Amino acid sequence: MLKLNKDKPKVINIGLEKFAVDLKTQGIDVVNLLWKPPLPVENSYHHKINSLSENIIAPANKKALEIINSGKAVLTGMDVALKVIPGMHKDLILHSGPPISWDRMCGPMRGAIIGALIYEDRAKNAEEAEKLAASGKIEFAPCHEHNCTGPMAGIISPSMPVFIIKNESYGNFTYATQNEGLGKVLRYGAYSEEVISRLKWMEKVLYPVLKRAIEYAGTINIQGLIAQALNMGDELHNRNRAGTSLFIRQIAPAIIKTMTDPEESAAALDFINGNDHFFLNLSMPASKAILDPARNISGSSIVVAMARNGTDFGIQVSGTGNKWFTGTAPVPDALYFPGFTKEDANPDIGDSSITETGGLGGFALAAAPAIVQFVGGTTKEAINYTLSMYNICFGESSLYQIPALDFRGTPLGIDVVKVIQNNIAPVIDTGVAHKNPGVGQVGAGVVKAPFEPFIKAYKTLADMY
Amino acid sequence: MPIKAKIIAGKYLDSVKLMLISRELRSLKGVLEAVAIVATSENREILKASNMLAEEINSASENDIVIVIKADNAKNAAEAINKAEELINKPSANEYNQTPIPQAFTLEKAIATLGGADLCLISIAGKYAAAEAEKALEKGLHILLFSDNVSIEDELSLKQKALKKGLLMMGPDCGTAILNGVPLAFANNVPRGKIGIVSASGTGLQEISSTIANLGGGISQAFGTGGRDGKKEIGGLMLTACLEYLLEDENTEVIIVIGKPPCEEVQKKLWELISHSSKPVIANFLIPMQVPELPNLYYVRSLSETAFFACKKAGIEVKTAKLAEDFPLPKLRGPYLRGLYSGGTLCQEAIQVYLDNFGCEPFNNVTDQAYFRLTDGWQTKENSIIDLGADEFTIGRPHPMIDYSLRLQKLAQEANDPKVGIILLDVVLGFGAHPDPAEELVPALQKLPADLVVVCHLLGTDGDPQNRQKQKKELEQAGAYVFTSHHSACEFVCQCLRSYRSAKC
Amino acid sequence: MQRKNNYTLFRIGELVPSGTYTKVHSCFERVINFAAEDIVISLCESSICAGPYRLILKGRIPLAKELKVTEKEVVINQEISLPYSQDNIWKIPSIHPYKNAQKSYFLCEKLLNIFIGEEKNNLLSLLFQPPSSQDEFLLQFRNCLIKGINNLFQQQYTLFVRQIKRRGLGSTPAGDDFLTGYIICLSWLIANGRKDLIKQREEIYETALDNDLLVNTFLHQAYYLRPDDDWANFLLALSENDEINLTKYINLIMNSGESSGKDMLSGFVFCLLFNWFWIAEIAKC
């Protein structure tokens, strides 16, 4: 016998939005279920994963999340890449994203490599550099495979100075170069004289100033600064202004105290001050530092790295070892600066999506309404992005809190299973590079990661266990 | 006696709105009286004499509108005043509603957001719809399955599953339902009342429920079963379940069952149920047929008649003056009728009325009779009535109740044929339908040759969002003959044809 | 600056004076009334019928704060320009006397039947059937109505008006609408030869005028028989014994929310009752 309640029905609408609108106008409680056609994954995989879910995947994920949440990433010093980066040698150049060969690299990455080779004095001009790069004499490897992260092209060459980040809870290290600033810079593929001389200045002036200052200061708790920055409108991927300011506040006294040449110190402070993205090169390795100890936990479906090289989008998952799962890096549907369109854009590029992987960036958009307006959205949308990410994460950060959500922790621990079963892709708040080397940033936006790598990881997990 | 008043400042509400607000306030707990008046000194005297001169009125000026409430205690008075504030500030149905509809990505989240859900309205592509319906049934939700292209096997398994849990599975291809007074998908705004409906037809339900509303009656529940429920494969599962429900429902006194004739087995089940009924059940299967002699079973053939009869049986005084439109018969310029329909059942009824009048069907795209079936619905000839909501026209394009472009195209085409003397159209109002059909039709009507007669059936109630009076007025001003009753519209058309034919003899 | 817009002027009443109007008297969803000396000019959407002092747009109305009327165009808020031609001007149809008194009489009887018989929620039914004891306001209002009508029976027209005006429910008080309808009926009867009613009309009209421009506009229209389109057609249907149109226009008048048609019709019908039927009955004796 049919059973009906007496009151006006509460309705879930799946499909034509007009039906929900009409119900709303009548004062009926209605929710729109944003339905999408399911992903191309056969039912057998779902069954397998569901059978592993309770006893294998969940406990492993729990462990992974605990490890991530108990990390403490601090800045302990600086050194030259060749000296500290594991596996670094003079013929190695590190790049962002999953492994890729020279012939498949996109314009900005090639440009950056050309610039790096010139910087390293391995070539006198672009033509020579290109020849050398293509010759096979130079080895290319992902930053991630050498404990590093790099934004955009993410090029790290042996002579570049790097920050040393340590996860004090687990003793692991990560590294990243100093951020050059905006406009015509190496990471966007520029290799002009201006770029090279700036790199040299950073090596010869900025680096020593900072190195001494950091040694003097001891350790700087980067995660502490990140947590504070979140309360000040940063999401630590596309917006790092507060982080940069906080960092200067911390480091300035040390810079003064360890000053040898006032001009140089002033120039260094000036440089950091003028670069709103300076802190990005600290928030990125900090994120990687807390994620790395959670690698290789048997049975875990937590994503430990998301990275793009401008051609491929790759992820690494805890329970599947160091395997890269890749898919085509999409051209972002972003807000383009006047004069540029999607036609000009390079596919998604950079290791900076490590911030999202660590519960920041697009996942923390609710903390950064200003940036959302910058990428063409509303404050409400900013909050919704974060809210939707809770659907695909295993848990929440115990350190990074969002004031607008009553200080709820940011979504942490991207779970491949949830991504596939809920049909929701991680969002990444990113800048967009021009496809031609050396032009620079042409837009910014909130983009969705492609499903392909996640589908591959899902299937591999199902088969492995 | 606690009295409270609210001065409505800045918002000018017309008398009808004020009356509706007063009425709603009067239905609140503990409210003895609620009036909306202009605070003239003369009205204040009346308030004083009624012990309703609330303090708040002292600060009102002569021309302010105030709402005054008398309640049995202070708490109820305060609550009523708060409700009054809410109602005054509630944007009207036509205003753009600023607050967005909450979204959810998963069914669990959606249910959690609502704090428990009752019904799932599904209109995604048929290929995926069955899976979503199943998930929703798992969660204990009733289903209104608007999607079509769902296999009959899926329909059967969904309905069986639903009934095991005491849930409704209305559909597939079900566009209309009214649950606890709430119109769902394509439905009209009708008051609550004593008449319950089970329907295998969308526009049939709309026509009957609107007519009942226009006659002063109301609907307890109106269930849709989907078009295939009466087939052997489904066995009338929803038809019988809904009928059973209405037979037991204390709020339902009269029951209507409509749709295409169900198969023999299902008919038997229905007669069986009705034979034990203490309430009048009015069946309308759209065609002439024999039904068993049961004390509470009535068979009626036209949609309007179904509504009239149901109202009569429910003891509602029928206000005929409000419905009957009467026009002198115009002279037709040519012999042929073209009917261009958006509602399937209305199309059927039009064909039936023509058949009753002239002894044979017009050409159409829905009949089983091979001779009268138009293989290509677009190629109308002689006397034709077509259903533009049929599959052949709706694949890849929106339904004609929402999008008039195809019909307007056909209308212009028919107008070019001097042999076409009369056009018949249905204009369906209500939720889900086009927000302003007159806006689309009037320019097209104005372009038509003056001697082409256009007859419109306007389906809807005054509570519908399109403002029925305005629609009627504008269509009439553009030269159409507008009828509230579909049956009357069809009869009028036949009379015109008859008049033409007899003149030619 | 005049920019392209989506608004079109459908009808402009022939008595709308040229000028610029900046004072909004009242603002509803479908009508905005502008104050103009001693009357209001109404800017209305398409569902409102035309009238001598009305501007009807095709479709909805914008949020108008200023209205300028010239011989060639109407300009809203100094930026929405609505040009018009002679074809758009709405003229009051001439209300000629009824052709056949007896037929009209029967028609009016029909009107009464519809109005009192089938339509139950109007002032006349209130008069003939008291409301429930819970509706104190209505009870008191009804008392005023009855007092007023008693005055009417004693030909004390001023007192009749004073008991009824500015009282009752609605955004224009029901009593005011009742008086307006009463006066329209007087004017119609006078146009049909009832010169004996002129004095009554004069006194009632003068007393009813008050300080609200909208009410006064209705009163002027009633006194000078310059009705809006629906009322004009209603009166024509009465004059021409056209039952079909009579029903149609009664429905239209009763269904229009803004102008409280029902209460005006109550006044009209009551006037018929009082000045025609009962007198006719008396004459028969």
Side-chain angles (χ1 to χ4, degrees):
Chain A
M1 188 59 183
L2 291 173
K3 285 173 242 147
L4 275 99
N5 285 337
K6 296 263 179 230
D7 313 302
K8 296 200 174 155
K10 295 196 202 164
V11 179
I12 297 179
N13 183 52
I14 310 182
L16 296 170
E17 181 151 358
K18 174 121 195 337
F19 291 151
V21 172
D22 283 338
L23 286 167
K24 183 111 206 295
T25 347
Q26 299 175 66
I28 299 299
D29 283 334
V30 58
V31 167
N32 244 343
L33 183 59
L34 295 176
W35 180 87
K36 291 160 279 187
L39 293 167
V41 176
E42 295 85 356
N43 275 333
S44 54
Y45 287 107
H46 294 308
H47 285 307
K48 182 73 189 301
I49 293 285
N50 285 339
S51 70
L52 298 168
S53 167
E54 210 182 309
N55 295 322
I56 299 197
I57 299 180
N61 286 350
K62 190 153 175 269
K63 192 161 163 218
L65 191 69
E66 262 163 32
I67 292 175
I68 300 171
N69 258 332
S70 57
K72 186 171 176 209
V74 304
L75 174 62
T76 58
M78 290 185 79
D79 213 324
V80 168
L82 188 58
K83 288 217 195 110
V84 280
I85 292 179
M88 195 53 159
H89 60 82
K90 68 174 186 52
D91 290 321
L92 177 62
I93 290 190
L94 302 177
H95 62 77
S96 59
I100 187 168
S101 53
W102 171 257
D103 52 296
R104 287 187 72 236
M105 286 183 188
C106 65
M109 187 169 278
R110 287 195 190 190
I113 290 174
I114 289 170
L117 288 170
I118 297 176
Y119 163 76
E120 296 282 344
D121 288 321
R122 297 294 295 271
K124 288 202 205 63
N125 54 48
E127 214 189 307
E128 272 182 36
E130 238 188 290
K131 230 164 138 188
L132 177 58
S135 68
K137 285 213 198 93
I138 304 292
E139 194 188 326
F140 300 113
C143 288
H144 268 295
E145 291 184 359
H146 292 262
N147 291 30
C148 300
T149 59
M152 288 292 142
I155 299 303
I156 305 182
S157 62
S159 311
M160 291 184 186
V162 294
F163 290 114
I164 304 170
I165 305 287
K166 182 181 182 188
N167 182 343
E168 288 190 333
S169 313
Y170 296 95
N172 59 303
F173 290 92
T174 57
Y175 313 90
T177 57
Q178 303 162 108
N179 191 291
E180 310 156 78
L182 287 173
K184 300 224 183 325
V185 290
L186 188 77
R187 73 176 183 282
Y188 281 102
Y191 48 81
S192 63
E193 244 194 76
E194 184 197 333
V195 175
I196 309 298
S197 44
R198 187 188 302 112
L199 285 172
K200 294 272 187 200
W201 178 85
M202 284 164 73
E203 186 195 325
K204 301 267 188 291
V205 179
L206 182 62
Y207 161 54
V209 169
L210 282 177
K211 185 182 163 95
R212 283 193 307 268
I214 294 168
E215 256 168 36
Y216 180 85
T219 60
I220 297 183
N221 183 354
I222 298 300
Q223 276 191 291
L225 296 182
I226 292 176
Q228 283 178 63
L230 270 177
N231 291 355
M232 292 166 66
D234 275 2
E235 32 76 291
L236 290 311
H237 179 160
N238 231 345
R239 192 180 189 277
N240 287 283
R241 182 179 302 170
T244 304
S245 309
L246 289 168
F247 179 74
I248 288 192
R249 250 175 70 167
Q250 284 250 273
I251 204 74
I255 289 181
I256 306 294
K257 287 261 166 63
T258 58
M259 177 162 62
T260 55
D261 180 338
E263 293 283 343
E264 293 194 340
S265 297
L269 278 170
D270 229 3
F271 180 81
I272 299 172
N273 212 11
N275 178 8
D276 273 341
H277 282 290
F278 190 82
F279 195 74
L280 178 64
N281 287 42
L282 290 166
S283 65
M284 281 172 62
S287 298
K288 182 173 170 61
I290 59 169
L291 285 162
D292 277 350
R295 283 175 179 262
N296 297 311
I297 295 175
S298 174
S300 169
S301 57
I302 301 287
V303 176
V304 291
M306 279 198 299
R308 321 82 105 207
N309 57 30
T311 311
D312 306 311
F313 188 112
I315 67 171
Q316 288 179 308
V317 176
S318 176
T320 54
N322 289 329
K323 197 169 156 57
W324 282 101
F325 300 100
T326 59
T328 317
V331 176
D333 249 320
L335 187 72
Y336 287 95
F337 301 154
F340 297 105
T341 68
K342 201 171 165 183
E343 305 285 298
D344 304 309
N346 196 67
D348 211 14
I349 184 172
D351 283 333
S352 49
S353 42
I354 194 69
T355 52
E356 274 81 13
T357 319
L360 301 167
F363 285 42
L365 270 174
I371 195 78
V372 176
Q373 289 174 42
F374 173 57
V375 302
T378 64
T379 311
K380 193 105 214 263
E381 282 168 0
I383 296 184
N384 282 338
Y385 279 124
T386 297
L387 288 178
S388 73
M389 289 300 99
Y390 285 113
N391 288 315
I392 56 168
C393 285
F394 190 74
E396 298 173 14
S397 170
S398 47
L399 181 59
Y400 304 144
Q401 295 173 329
I402 303 180
L405 297 178
D406 274 329
F407 296 94
R408 186 175 176 186
T410 61
L412 184 63
I414 302 174
D415 183 347
V416 169
V417 172
K418 287 193 177 186
V419 168
I420 298 301
Q421 292 193 346
N422 289 332
N423 202 340
I424 298 172
V427 293
I428 301 172
D429 182 20
T430 185
V432 184
H434 198 286
K435 63 187 178 199
N436 295 336
V439 179
Q441 190 178 0
V442 295
V446 180
V447 304
K448 290 206 178 92
F451 278 109
E452 212 186 320
F454 294 90
I455 294 177
K456 287 182 186 167
Y458 188 75
K459 290 186 177 174
T460 305
L461 266 172
D463 288 334
M464 255 177 100
Y465 291 95
Chain B
M1 288 266 153
I3 42 169
K4 272 202 142 338
K6 173 123 198 90
I7 304 172
I8 303 178
K11 258 245 169 193
Y12 292 86
L13 299 169
D14 66 58
S15 297
V16 172
K17 284 228 178 73
L18 287 175
M19 184 202 60
L20 290 172
I21 291 178
S22 309
R23 192 192 292 171
E24 187 152 353
L25 291 172
R26 250 176 263 137
S27 70
L28 292 179
K29 185 174 84 154
V31 173
L32 302 168
E33 205 171 338
V35 293
I37 50 168
V38 179
T40 59
S41 44
E42 291 88 344
N43 263 341
R44 286 178 217 223
E45 275 170 33
I46 298 187
L47 286 175
K48 193 149 175 226
S50 331
N51 293 317
M52 282 174 74
L53 191 60
E55 257 183 58
E56 294 89 340
I57 301 178
N58 292 333
S59 41
S61 72
E62 271 285 305
N63 292 313
D64 279 336
I65 300 182
V66 291
I67 294 189
V68 188
I69 292 176
K70 191 199 297 187
D72 55 1
N73 64 49
K75 177 165 174 285
N76 286 332
E79 273 175 31
I81 276 292
N82 285 336
K83 183 79 183 162
E85 169 106 46
E86 197 191 298
L87 292 170
I88 292 164
N89 289 319
K90 187 164 85 163
S92 67
N94 290 328
E95 272 175 47
Y96 173 68
N97 203 334
Q98 292 286 346
T99 47
I101 300 168
Q103 329 254 47
F105 288 105
T106 64
L107 194 57
E108 292 79 5
K109 269 280 157 62
I111 296 173
T113 310
L114 285 170
D118 299 296
L119 179 123
C120 196
L121 206 180
I122 303 177
S123 55
I124 53 180
K127 197 158 67 150
Y128 306 110
E132 293 307 310
E134 182 160 6
K135 276 195 222 158
L137 284 173
E138 274 292 319
K139 297 277 177 192
L141 304 179
H142 297 291
I143 310 281
L144 177 51
L145 186 52
F146 181 81
S147 318
D148 57 7
N149 287 320
V150 172
S151 76
I152 202 161
E153 293 81 14
D154 280 337
E155 179 177 345
L156 179 62
S157 102
L158 284 171
K159 285 182 173 170
Q160 284 169 334
K161 187 177 180 126
L163 288 175
K164 266 208 203 88
K165 300 177 123 208
L167 297 170
L168 286 163
M169 211 319 276
M170 300 186 277
D173 207 6
C174 175
T176 312
I178 307 176
L179 231 60
N180 290 349
V182 179
L184 297 166
F186 285 88
N188 303 85
N189 202 345
V190 300
R192 251 8 248 278
K194 310 186 251 191
I195 303 173
I197 309 180
V198 188
S199 173
S201 133
T203 38
L205 204 164
Q206 287 192 263
E207 172 78 5
I208 291 180
S209 58
S210 298
T211 309
I212 289 173
N214 291 331
L215 292 172
I219 304 293
S220 56
Q221 306 285 1
F223 301 118
T225 63
R228 293 189 300 218
D229 199 73
K231 279 181 175 291
K232 190 157 162 220
E233 295 89 326
I234 306 290
L237 285 176
M238 270 300 132
L239 266 168
T240 47
C242 295
L243 179 56
E244 273 178 322
Y245 178 86
L246 290 174
L247 287 167
E248 295 288 326
D249 178 35
E250 56 182 9
N251 294 317
T252 302
E253 289 177 20
V254 177
I255 302 172
I256 299 175
V257 179
I258 52 170
K260 284 217 278 246
C263 68
E264 286 283 333
E265 290 95 329
V266 174
Q267 282 186 37
K268 277 212 190 73
K269 287 193 208 169
L270 292 175
W271 308 146
E272 171 65 29
L273 278 171
I274 297 172
S275 65
H276 299 297
S277 166
S278 55
K279 306 179 187 174
V281 179
I282 303 156
N284 178 348
F285 296 138
L286 309 172
I287 58 159
M289 63 183 265
Q290 293 278 34
V291 301
E293 288 278 329
L294 295 169
N296 266 320
L297 173 62
Y298 304 90
Y299 191 76
V300 176
R301 266 215 297 131
S302 87
L303 297 169
S304 312
E305 227 182 302
T306 310
F308 269 93
F309 197 67
C311 285
K312 197 152 149 236
K313 283 287 171 192
I316 294 159
E317 281 174 57
V318 160
K319 298 186 197 156
T320 50
K322 284 207 154 185
L323 274 199
E325 289 98 355
D326 210 356
F327 307 105
L329 290 184
K331 264 183 127 150
L332 301 186
R333 69 175 189 175
Y336 297 138
L337 156 71
R338 298 289 153 85
L340 308 174
Y341 272 84
S342 61
T345 305
L346 296 172
C347 182
Q348 296 277 8
E349 182 164 72
I351 293 171
Q352 193 61 50
V353 173
Y354 184 97
L355 172 58
D356 287 345
N357 269 281
F358 299 115
C360 70
E361 288 183 31
F363 290 103
N364 65 82
N365 63 335
V366 296
T367 181
D368 294 327
Q369 306 277 342
Y371 178 76
F372 293 105
R373 177 112 193 184
L374 292 168
T375 39
D376 177 357
W378 193 258
Q379 307 291 357
T380 49
K381 58 180 178 183
E382 293 173 43
N383 291 297
S384 292
I385 300 180
I386 55 174
D387 176 9
L388 284 138
D391 283 344
E392 63 187 295
F393 295 114
T394 54
I395 297 204
R397 51 180 330 142
H399 195 276
M401 280 209 271
I402 316 176
D403 182 334
Y404 279 71
S405 47
L406 199 60
R407 270 212 287 184
L408 295 182
Q409 228 184 308
K410 189 76 181 124
L411 180 59
Q413 194 191 66
E414 304 290 20
N416 282 330
D417 181 352
K419 288 222 161 128
V420 173
I422 186 163
I423 303 274
L424 175 57
L425 293 169
D426 61 337
V427 177
V428 179
L429 305 180
F431 293 104
H434 193 290
D436 193 348
E439 192 181 49
E440 301 273 329
L441 283 167
V442 164
L445 290 174
Q446 285 168 338
K447 290 205 190 86
L448 296 176
D451 53 357
L452 175 62
V453 173
V454 178
V455 176
C456 263
H457 161 52
L458 189 61
L459 192 166
T461 68
D462 289 321
D464 284 333
Q466 292 89 348
N467 193 340
R468 184 172 78 115
Q469 299 297 336
K470 168 168 127 78
Q471 297 291 319
K472 189 159 196 268
K473 197 163 194 173
E474 291 183 358
L475 289 169
E476 281 178 336
Q477 273 165 353
Y481 290 83
V482 181
F483 286 86
T484 307
S485 149
H486 183 239
H487 196 259
S488 303
C490 297
E491 281 293 340
F492 181 78
V493 166
C494 290
Q495 281 170 44
C496 290
L497 288 171
R498 209 187 279 277
S499 169
Y500 180 90
R501 293 174 192 189
S502 57
K504 290 295 172 185
C505 291
Chain C
M1 191 228 346
Q2 262 132 45
R3 15 176 237 252
K4 236 172 97 138
N5 64 73
N6 294 326
Y7 297 100
T8 320
L9 186 66
F10 185 46
R11 297 254 189 279
I12 173 167
E14 59 173 332
L15 296 180
V16 174
S18 294
T20 303
Y21 309 101
T22 52
K23 184 151 179 263
V24 172
H25 168 276
S26 48
C27 174
F28 298 88
E29 191 185 325
R30 297 187 281 169
V31 179
I32 301 181
N33 296 315
F34 287 87
E37 280 204 49
D38 55 349
I39 50 153
V40 298
I41 306 293
S42 303
L43 180 67
C44 314
E45 70 152 48
S46 57
S47 66
I48 309 288
C49 73
Y53 300 113
R54 291 180 176 176
L55 299 149
I56 312 293
L57 298 189
K58 274 196 184 171
R60 311 291 300 271
I61 49 176
L63 198 63
K65 303 232 170 71
E66 184 183 299
L67 192 65
K68 178 168 148 199
V69 180
T70 71
E71 285 178 4
K72 297 226 178 64
E73 63 172 359
V74 171
V75 185
I76 300 177
N77 294 344
Q78 292 181 15
E79 57 182 18
I80 302 174
S81 161
L82 305 163
Y84 68 92
S85 70
Q86 286 294 319
D87 295 331
N88 298 109
I89 299 182
W90 181 85
K91 297 192 169 45
I92 306 165
S94 82
I95 316 287
H96 57 75
Y98 44 66
K99 299 187 177 137
N100 182 321
Q102 188 155 52
K103 282 201 180 145
S104 283
Y105 183 85
F106 285 132
L107 209 55
C108 287
E109 260 189 342
K110 204 158 194 112
L111 170 59
L112 250 76
N113 284 333
I114 296 173
F115 203 67
I116 303 176
E118 294 193 24
E119 260 302 319
K120 299 226 195 292
N121 289 322
N122 57 66
L123 291 178
L124 285 189
S125 55
L126 177 67
L127 253 178
F128 296 129
Q129 261 175 289
S132 81
S133 56
Q134 199 149 301
D135 290 319
E136 279 228 53
F137 186 90
L138 278 181
L139 274 169
Q140 294 297 333
F141 175 61
R142 180 173 179 267
N143 287 341
C144 294
L145 271 181
I146 291 175
K147 271 201 209 119
I149 287 166
N150 280 331
N151 287 324
L152 189 61
F153 280 133
Q154 287 158 48
Q155 281 147 359
Q156 288 171 317
Y157 304 118
T158 303
L159 290 176
F160 158 62
V161 172
R162 290 230 189 98
Q163 277 297 333
I164 295 180
K165 74 179 233 182
R166 309 306 280 148
R167 282 168 227 267
L169 306 174
S171 58
T172 39
D176 289 336
D177 294 321
F178 182 86
L179 289 170
T180 304
Y182 189 92
I183 296 174
I184 296 180
C185 184
L186 285 178
S187 296
W188 183 69
L189 287 170
I190 291 169
N192 278 313
R194 293 287 303 273
K195 307 289 180 207
D196 58 303
L197 297 172
I198 290 179
K199 194 151 168 287
Q200 186 190 148
R201 181 180 70 166
E202 193 68 36
E203 209 176 315
I204 291 176
Y205 168 68
E206 289 293 329
T207 319
L209 286 172
D210 205 278
N211 56 16
D212 181 63
L213 283 185
L214 185 58
V215 173
N216 286 356
T217 306
F218 287 138
L219 289 169
H220 295 322
Q221 286 185 263
Y223 182 82
Y224 293 104
L225 210 52
R226 297 172 182 157
D228 297 322
D229 200 53
D230 287 343
W231 272 94
N233 284 310
F234 165 73
L235 294 173
L236 272 172
L238 270 182
S239 299
E240 303 195 342
N241 309 313
D242 185 344
E243 196 174 321
I244 291 176
N245 274 331
L246 185 70
T247 316
K248 176 174 167 183
Y249 286 104
I250 291 176
N251 282 337
L252 281 171
I253 290 170
M254 293 209 288
N255 285 322
S256 89
E258 264 79 23
S259 62
S260 346
K262 226 185 237 189
D263 294 330
M264 280 170 63
L265 261 177
S266 300
F268 185 94
V269 173
F270 184 77
C271 182
L272 277 183
L273 268 176
F274 183 69
N275 290 298
W276 197 5
F277 285 79
W278 293 343
I279 291 188
E281 288 307 307
I282 292 167
K284 271 195 208 158
C285 305

